[in-house]
Amino acid sequence: MRKPYQAKTIAKFLIEAAEAAEPTICMTNSKLNSMLYYVQAWYMIKYGTPCFTDQLYAQSWGVAVEDVHYTFRMFGNCSLWGIMANQIKTDEKLEKKDQKQICKVLYQIGTYSAATLNRIVMNQKPYRDAYANTSNASVITLESLKAYFSE
């Protein structure tokens, strides 16, 4: 079984892929974190294992991978460009098959606005359950993603 990536590696790839697809896809910090949620869900369904090791959190304003969110929060709702992705320092490389699959997720839902994606995520059971469960530090579990998206 393959070792999961770090979320920042996936985030860097998503920003660069969105820039290549621009103007069709505009990537913001909020949208980036929503995209990570969907990439993680896709991977759990396809492979039964997480794509990345970092936890997803249900925050009052949406879903977040803390390391990624805090790296880009200074940009607010501005578009994230490849030069901003350089803030992520990693030598980790994505396998070609993973790049293709992540691009499929990006092209399917990346055209939605950050606000729309946030609204969709916040109405889904994994987010709602995590947000309601303060004893779990608002962690969206891998099991909840797999169960919800397998339906």
Side-chain angles (χ1 to χ4, degrees):
M1 186 177 354
R2 163 193 93 59
K3 181 181 168 211
Y5 301 106
Q6 296 175 340
K8 65 184 183 179
T9 302
I10 307 299
K12 184 172 185 156
F13 178 78
L14 283 166
I15 293 168
E16 291 168 348
E19 182 176 12
E22 211 279 326
T24 309
I25 299 174
C26 172
M27 189 65 70
T28 64
N29 190 15
S30 174
K31 187 176 196 172
L32 177 61
N33 280 273
S34 293
M35 293 299 303
L36 288 169
Y37 168 90
Y38 284 110
V39 167
Q40 189 75 303
W42 155 78
Y43 221 82
M44 287 300 298
I45 296 304
K46 186 158 178 87
Y47 298 111
T49 185
C51 183
F52 53 85
T53 55
D54 308 65
Q55 292 185 317
L56 290 160
Y57 290 91
Q59 305 287 357
S60 61
W61 38 263
V63 67
V65 173
E66 288 184 342
D67 188 31
V68 173
H69 169 73
Y70 289 115
T71 298
F72 296 109
R73 73 177 176 195
M74 70 184 103
F75 299 112
N77 289 327
C78 294
S79 294
L80 300 176
W81 299 99
I83 194 155
M84 295 167 182
N86 290 337
Q87 303 239 0
I88 296 175
K89 304 296 183 214
T90 181
D91 293 329
E92 194 173 43
K93 302 288 183 217
L94 294 176
E95 293 180 20
K96 289 287 185 201
K97 68 177 181 127
D98 291 334
Q99 289 180 19
K100 284 182 182 179
Q101 293 301 322
I102 291 167
C103 279
K104 284 183 183 179
V105 175
L106 177 66
Y107 299 151
Q108 280 185 341
I109 62 174
T111 56
Y112 291 104
S113 71
T116 299
L117 283 178
N118 249 359
R119 195 170 30 251
I120 293 168
V121 168
M122 292 172 83
N123 281 303
Q124 291 176 337
K125 187 170 175 33
Y127 174 91
R128 287 192 330 261
D129 288 352
Y131 191 71
N133 184 3
T134 56
S135 66
N136 197 18
S138 301
V139 172
I140 299 172
T141 66
L142 298 173
E143 295 77 21
S144 70
L145 285 175
K146 188 172 183 180
Y148 179 77
F149 286 98
S150 292
E151 295 176 350

